Amino acid sequence: MSSTQPFLKGVVVLIPAFSLGRAQELLLILDEYWSNHPDLHNIPIYYASPLAKRCMAVYQTYINSMNERICNQFENSNAFDFKHISPLNSIENFNDVGPSVVMASLSGLQSGLSRQLFEMWFSDKKNACAIPGYVVQGMLAKTIINEPKEVTLMNGLTAPLNMQVHYISFSAHADFAQIRKWRKPLGGWLKRPQKLVKLLVVYCREIPKVVVESEEATKTEEENSKKAEKVVHALLVSLLGDGEVWRERETGDKCGWQCGAS
C-alpha cells in the first residue's frame, strides 16, 4: 500500500500530545518519515501548541544534550529544524482543506487546540485520531479509546463519534506489558517482599545524591530510610496487592517494615 493511500480522500489525522518531551520525539519521527517518502511531501504536518513552539528554540540550541544520533546529525543539519512540519498558532490561521496531520495539545482532549480540532473532525469517518500513549481516566481521549457510539461536546450536547480512533503505546511510562516483563525475572524475590525491600533500600542508598545546601532540604539518614521504605512498600502493594504485603509483614522479619506502616 502506498504511504499516501490513507490521505487520498482528504483524511486528516489528529494527534493529541503533551507539549514537551513526547511531542518533540514524535515530530522528529514524522519529519524523518516524510523526508524518506517523497509521495508525502504535499501533505502538511502541523503542531498546534504555543508552549511547544516557544520551547522548540531550547531543543534547537542544546543539541549536545541529545542522543548520539542527533548530535552526529548536527554536523549536517539541526534535527529540530523541521523540513515538513510547521507551527499552527490558532484555528483561525488553519486552512482546513485537503489531507493533513496535526499534533496538538492538550493530550487528554479536555480543552485547548486539540479539543477544538477534535470537534471539527470527529463526525467524519474518513478522519482519524491517533492517541500516542497514556491518558488519564476521565479525559475525553481515554473515553474515545473504547470507541463509544457518542461523545459529549464542549457545549454539553452529544453527537455520534464517526472518526477512527487508534491507540499507540508511545510513552515514557512503563505499561502493563513492560511491568510484567520486569516482574517475571524477580521470581522468588516476590514471595519474600521483606527481602526485596532490603535489597532496594540498599540500592537506593548507593545512588549518588544531589546535595542541596539549605536548612529545609537537610534530612537525617533515618528519615531518608523511612521515605525509601514507604516508596518500596507502595511499589510492592502495586505488584502483589495490599493483602499479600500485609501477610508478609506479619510473618516475615522486621527489616524496617515498621517504617512503611504509616
Side-chain angles (χ1 to χ4, degrees):
M1 181 177 69
S2 168
S3 55
T4 59
Q5 188 169 331
F7 297 101
L8 291 179
K9 296 182 179 180
V11 170
V12 290
V13 178
L14 173 63
I15 306 176
F18 292 108
S19 297
L20 298 175
R22 187 181 306 170
Q24 282 69 34
E25 188 168 359
L26 283 168
L27 291 172
L28 282 171
I29 292 171
L30 288 171
D31 196 59
E32 181 177 338
Y33 188 85
W34 253 240
S35 295
N36 295 331
H37 293 80
D39 51 341
L40 292 173
H41 289 182
N42 64 330
I43 298 169
I45 305 173
Y46 302 99
Y47 66 95
S49 170
L51 177 59
K53 181 184 178 182
R54 291 197 298 270
C55 293
M56 195 60 71
V58 176
Y59 285 86
Q60 292 168 339
T61 302
Y62 293 97
I63 292 294
N64 60 320
S65 299
M66 307 298 167
N67 62 33
E68 184 178 355
R69 182 186 176 192
I70 299 298
C71 291
N72 292 338
Q73 183 179 334
F74 186 59
E75 296 178 4
N76 299 315
S77 63
N78 191 319
F80 292 97
D81 288 333
F82 301 124
K83 298 178 177 64
H84 306 282
I85 301 173
S86 305
L88 179 65
N89 297 321
S90 66
I91 299 296
E92 290 73 23
N93 297 330
F94 180 50
N95 182 20
D96 187 15
V97 177
S100 63
V101 176
V102 182
M103 181 181 296
S105 58
L106 299 169
S107 62
L109 291 173
Q110 65 270 36
S111 60
L113 289 169
S114 64
R115 182 58 177 264
Q116 292 177 275
L117 292 167
F118 174 83
E119 297 208 357
M120 287 170 53
W121 296 335
F122 78 96
S123 61
D124 194 330
K125 62 182 180 181
K126 298 193 305 293
N127 298 333
C129 181
I131 300 173
Y134 176 78
V135 286
V136 178
Q137 193 71 35
M139 299 295 181
L140 176 61
K142 185 72 170 181
T143 300
I144 65 172
I145 287 175
N146 298 320
E147 300 187 63
K149 293 182 178 179
E150 294 183 332
V151 290
T152 302
L153 307 179
M154 287 190 289
N155 59 14
L157 301 176
T158 59
L161 174 65
N162 294 325
M163 78 186 314
Q164 306 167 53
V165 179
H166 305 281
Y167 174 76
I168 304 167
S169 184
F170 189 92
S171 177
H173 307 288
D175 59 16
F176 172 77
Q178 292 169 318
I179 292 175
R180 184 172 59 181
K181 183 178 179 181
W182 171 82
R183 173 180 172 173
K184 189 175 181 180
L186 292 175
W189 283 104
L190 293 179
K191 296 178 182 178
R192 301 289 292 173
Q194 71 275 11
K195 294 186 181 298
L196 182 58
V197 169
K198 282 185 176 181
L199 176 68
L200 292 177
V201 168
V202 170
Y203 172 76
C204 291
R205 286 173 179 166
E206 293 181 356
I207 297 175
K209 296 179 176 61
V210 177
V211 178
V212 181
E213 296 296 336
S214 68
E215 184 177 345
E216 294 79 8
T218 302
K219 301 291 183 181
T220 64
E221 183 66 24
E222 181 181 358
E223 288 172 336
N224 285 333
S225 296
K226 288 181 179 180
K227 183 183 294 185
E229 287 164 5
K230 287 180 180 179
V231 171
V232 172
H233 175 263
L235 170 64
L236 292 174
V237 168
S238 68
L239 289 172
L240 301 172
D242 190 57
E244 182 67 24
V245 171
W246 276 94
R247 280 195 294 274
E248 288 288 347
R249 287 180 55 188
E250 291 171 357
T251 60
D253 59 44
K254 294 181 180 180
C255 81
W257 274 94
Q258 298 304 317
C259 298
S262 58

